[in-house]
Amino acid sequence: MRSTFHGLETAKRSLFTQQAALQTTGHNIANANTAGYSRQVVNMNASRPIEAVGMTRSNVPGQLGTGVEFGSITRIRENFLDNQFRNENKSFGSWSVRQDTLEKLEKIINEPSDTGIRTVIDNFWKAWSDLSKDPENTDGRKIVRENALALADAFNATSKQLNDLSADLTENINVKVSQINTIASTISNLNKEIQRVEGIGDNANDLRDQRDLLTDELSKIVNIQVVDTDQGYTITMGNTAIVAGGTPSVMTSDILNQAFASGDLNGGEVYGMIVSRDQYVASYISELDTIANTLVHGKITVTIPKDSVLPEGTVLNGVTYSGSNRTLTSDLTVEVNGFNGLHKLGYNLGNPSFGVPFFDENSGQPVTAATFKVNSAIVDNPNLIATSMRTIGTGANEKVVIGNNTAALLLSQVRDAKFSFGTGANASMATVDDYFRSVVGQVGVQTKEAQRQATNQKILVDQVESRRQSVSGVSLDEEMSNMIKFQHAYNAAARAMTTFDETLDKVINGMGVVGR
């Protein structure tokens, strides 16, 4: 004989199960806009059926069902999409940083514009051209000096901005190191908490969501590989451990630089910062230094016209010019050491001796954009600017022909002179203007490529995230439908329990009273 109260127990199980389903639905709805949340479902299954009580198998046909129960509450998550998202996210993090850096480089170089270095260089050559037309003009010399000072300021300011950008990238790497360490510590704590909760048989759904969200954030900072073990997530960056179960590793900028050098670090924002600092910014600092040093010291070929008088003791092409052979009897094509080398062959408004260097020679060291400056003697006295290559008289009576413009004309023509940029197989012949234009063009091409890559990676990340949300995200329409379904089931179970209660009331209180 079956239990009289079996129906009550069946209805009770249904009430508890449908109530859990309703509460889980409410939890999903409440977290519909929570970042990283995965929708949860109650896994229902029929409870174990019973047979009629007896020493041997009952002759009553079939088994009697005992209702429903839920074995677990699980989150809907697909590991494949998580791994795909993190792989695409690392590339997006890298290209977004590189795009940002190159766009900043474009702003620093500021070309083409009316205020960039190229305009300042043009003004410098124009001032020399104007001076060559009236070499005795004191105002013209001052204009040359001021344009030279403006050129030096442009080189110095651009170099400082580039070095500041490099320092900012280094500082940002240190900030990312702190973020990595914070995230790694939090993930390791979550690993331990998840292990504790699931050790007693529960599913730590919300804790797992928090851990996955942090892992997603970490994947944008550096490239990671994630393995889910019995101790929780083990996260590595190539061969470099970040989290091992409940133990986080302490990252430093030196460790990340070493990982970059070894190839362990090959994606993420930190990778983009190191590439930006050590390749992009460092390259353009070097390019600017090359332009500055080449302008001052780079070898160029010039043709000194017939009847020019070289300073006493001048050595050109291995020939020393002294005494009467100082006056050229024919045009002389020679190689001189840059703008300074040519300026020294001219005469200023003073004595007919070697001219002073126009730009400071930095104590014999290579000139950089940061150290590029006009000779302080010329800054104090613009009359030291060389414009003439003619003298009259000999010995103590030798005087400069101040109306001669040979030196000024040759110096203005340096604009069209081809310097040798680079060394060995990478050397190229170009004017200063052409070389600077090539540098500007290179920045533009690299920026466009970074923008294209960043845009493509953003599309891929959004696409994977959309697919992931279609699996794990909360659909309010679906949850409302489920809520109505579970509510009806709950109401039906409650109605069944009421029916069983009324039946038992009739059995207990209405039966066996005949004849009383």
Side-chain angles (χ1 to χ4, degrees), residues 95-294:
W95 281 110
S96 61
V97 170
R98 291 158 77 172
Q99 175 191 353
D100 179 68
T101 301
L102 286 166
E103 287 175 349
K104 288 178 180 176
L105 281 172
E106 280 193 324
K107 296 297 183 183
I108 291 172
I109 295 176
N110 193 26
E111 295 291 347
S113 72
D114 295 332
T115 57
I117 290 180
R118 187 177 171 187
T119 298
V120 178
I121 294 176
D122 287 344
N123 291 338
F124 176 70
W125 297 128
K126 184 177 182 299
W128 272 105
S129 179
D130 292 341
L131 181 61
S132 69
K133 298 172 185 176
D134 188 5
E136 299 179 62
N137 191 326
T138 302
D139 289 339
R141 293 171 180 272
K142 290 181 179 180
I143 292 173
V144 168
R145 179 190 65 182
E146 294 306 316
N147 279 283
L149 289 172
L151 178 61
D153 287 342
F155 273 118
N156 298 159
T158 304
S159 177
K160 182 179 184 304
Q161 289 174 318
L162 290 173
N163 282 285
D164 287 347
L165 179 57
S166 179
D168 287 343
L169 288 167
T170 299
E171 181 60 29
N172 286 339
I173 291 172
N174 293 330
V175 171
K176 292 301 177 182
V177 167
S178 298
Q179 289 184 12
I180 293 171
N181 288 332
T182 300
I183 291 173
S185 177
T186 306
I187 290 176
S188 65
N189 290 333
L190 286 169
N191 279 341
K192 290 185 283 188
E193 185 65 16
I194 290 169
Q195 189 178 17
R196 182 191 67 80
V197 171
E198 296 188 347
I200 59 178
D202 294 329
N203 291 327
N205 297 320
D206 294 320
L207 294 178
R208 282 181 172 270
D209 284 344
Q210 293 176 31
R211 185 176 65 180
D212 282 333
L213 180 61
L214 289 171
T215 305
D216 289 346
E217 292 178 7
L218 186 60
S219 71
K220 189 177 182 180
I221 300 175
V222 293
N223 57 288
I224 58 174
Q225 299 81 42
V226 183
V227 179
D228 195 358
T229 68
D230 293 338
Q231 287 74 41
Y233 277 178
T234 294
I235 302 177
T236 57
M237 179 181 62
N239 295 320
T240 304
I242 298 178
V243 177
T247 305
S249 299
V250 178
M251 293 288 110
T252 64
S253 58
D254 289 338
I255 291 176
L256 292 178
N257 283 316
Q258 291 169 7
F260 176 83
S262 67
D264 284 347
L265 176 60
N266 54 37
E269 292 175 331
V270 174
Y271 176 80
M273 290 173 186
I274 295 177
V275 168
S276 296
R277 181 192 64 187
D278 296 348
Q279 294 183 21
Y280 296 151
V281 179
S283 172
Y284 290 112
I285 290 175
S286 176
E287 297 281 18
L288 201 63
D289 290 344
T290 298
I291 293 173
N293 187 63
T294 301

Side-chain angles (χ1 to χ4, degrees), residues 1-5 499-514 516:
M1 181 177 179
R2 295 183 174 87
S3 169
T4 306
F5 296 96
T499 301
F500 291 134
D501 179 64
E502 291 176 355
T503 301
L504 289 174
D505 178 66
K506 177 60 67 176
V507 171
I508 295 170
N509 298 317
M511 292 177 65
V513 297
V514 178
R516 288 187 182 179

